Amino acid sequence: MGDPGERCGMDMGLLKVFLAVAEEGSISKAAQSLNYVQSNVTARIQQLEQELKTPLFYRHSRGITLTSAGQTFMEYTVRILKLLDEAKQAVLDSPVPKGSITVGSDTTAAVRLPAILSAYRVCYPDVEVHLQVGRAGELIDSVLQHTVHGAFLDGPVEHPEIVQELLIHERIGLVIPDTMDYQGIRSVHDKTLLMLNSECLYRSRLEKWLAEEGGRLGKVMEFGTMEGLLGCVKAGIGYAVLPLSYFTRMNVTEGIRIYPFPEKYAEVPTVFIRRRDLYMTSAFREFIEELKAGLPEAVSGADMTADTAAEL
């Protein structure tokens, strides 16, 4: 054991300096963002490396990059600073929701959120709500890294640090250009599938339906936006699989036709996830309640057993 009188110099300020340098990839840029003199930032990084007895950065002509030890330390630094922020939120939290929350969503689930966010803002005008739209993997990482409070995703997520707060059953449909002669699922055999996320459950449902009818999946093209995807469907470049709720809510039908999936393949679960250890501020708790009110088909994550999630 070390000397009990020995004092650790690793304070929150030092961690913030390290994180700024890691994110900027440059001592000078980090100094600018922190409003510090460059020599001070350099000295703090040297202090940290001496204390940890390992280099955290590679120095080169283009700037600096993290070593493997630095990458590991950065992951813990992000978690520590987010936990500190949560601790402050817990201390300052009040029964009346205030502050801010950040919610993630994939592009297809985002269609459900405007009405919910609008109703929530009317009830709690002192809460600032941010929406982050992204792919499933990115959103799961954001939840785990505390950069979003929770996120909508397709399908159950199996991770020891994540709980599924809500479950929504989306019904999906085949979206084809209105110029296509549709004679059943074999009509898209070997044609190009256009998707926002090629790894989502929509694709696996389609593959099962195709296999049942003796067809097979053709090429797959990914898109970053719903507008771009639908534009290419209308142009006859390919077809898509999307939730029916998007079309009923957005009233987008020009140039396309929509055919619901067979009942046994039609439902895809959308879950709302959060970290298991996340401190639930009053603002976030009320957001969850607004979700339950705005999504009548939603059920509590507590009702989802392991067997239920596996079946989905």
Side-chain angles (χ1 to χ4, degrees), residues 45 75 81 88 103 111 118 131 144-145 154 191 196 200 205 264 272 278 294 300 302:
I45 293 300
E75 293 172 3
L81 293 177
K88 291 179 180 178
V103 179
V111 70
S118 177
L131 178 62
L144 292 172
Q145 295 298 324
D154 295 328
K191 288 186 168 55
L196 294 170
C200 72
R205 293 286 196 273
K264 60 182 172 181
F272 187 74
L278 178 71
S300 170

Side-chain angles (χ1 to χ4, degrees), residues 48-267:
L48 184 57
E49 290 181 320
Q50 289 170 4
E51 186 167 336
L52 293 172
K53 296 180 174 61
T54 187
L56 299 174
F57 296 97
Y58 294 115
R59 277 76 170 175
H60 48 76
S61 59
R62 297 184 304 278
I64 58 176
T65 54
L66 288 165
T67 63
S68 58
Q71 184 63 50
T72 299
F73 190 71
M74 181 179 177
E75 293 172 3
Y76 280 95
T77 297
V78 170
R79 289 166 62 182
I80 290 168
L81 293 177
K82 294 303 291 186
L83 285 172
L84 177 62
D85 184 59
E86 284 188 22
K88 291 179 180 178
Q89 291 183 42
V91 171
L92 299 175
D93 195 23
S94 69
V96 179
K98 58 183 179 180
S100 66
I101 59 174
T102 303
V103 179
S105 175
D106 65 18
T107 307
T108 52
V111 70
R112 291 181 172 272
L113 291 179
I116 295 170
L117 295 178
S118 177
Y120 179 80
R121 186 165 184 174
V122 169
C123 294
Y124 306 106
D126 293 332
V127 180
E128 187 175 353
V129 182
H130 304 279
L131 178 62
Q132 175 180 318
V133 178
R135 295 167 60 95
E138 298 168 345
L139 293 172
I140 292 172
D141 287 342
S142 293
V143 168
L144 292 172
Q145 295 298 324
H146 296 270
T147 55
V148 302
H149 289 81
F152 281 98
L153 298 173
D154 295 328
V157 176
E158 296 182 9
H159 193 287
E161 295 180 31
I162 284 178
V163 293
Q164 299 169 75
E165 197 68 31
L166 301 170
L167 176 64
I168 307 157
H169 293 283
E170 291 281 13
R171 300 185 72 83
I172 57 177
L174 199 66
V175 184
I176 65 171
D178 59 9
T179 55
M180 180 186 287
D181 180 21
Y182 183 72
Q183 300 295 327
I185 188 62
R186 288 295 299 272
S187 300
V188 300
H189 168 76
D190 271 348
K191 288 186 168 55
T192 301
L193 171 64
L194 313 180
M195 303 202 74
L196 294 170
N197 177 9
S198 63
E199 303 303 320
C200 72
L201 286 179
Y202 299 175
R203 175 174 174 169
S204 65
R205 293 286 196 273
L206 173 66
E207 288 179 312
K208 289 179 181 178
W209 185 14
L210 277 167
E212 182 181 84
E213 299 294 329
R216 68 167 181 249
L217 189 67
K219 294 180 180 179
V220 178
M221 290 179 60
E222 286 198 42
F223 289 79
T225 66
M226 182 73 81
E227 292 77 11
L229 184 151
L230 287 176
C232 286
V233 171
K234 293 176 183 179
I237 294 173
Y239 68 101
V241 177
L242 294 169
L244 299 178
S245 62
Y246 178 82
F247 300 97
T248 56
R249 291 167 183 264
M250 303 301 288
N251 194 27
V252 180
T253 56
E254 183 181 355
I256 60 174
R257 280 180 285 147
I258 306 160
Y259 295 90
F261 269 46
E263 192 63 31
K264 60 182 172 181
Y265 302 130
E267 287 193 347

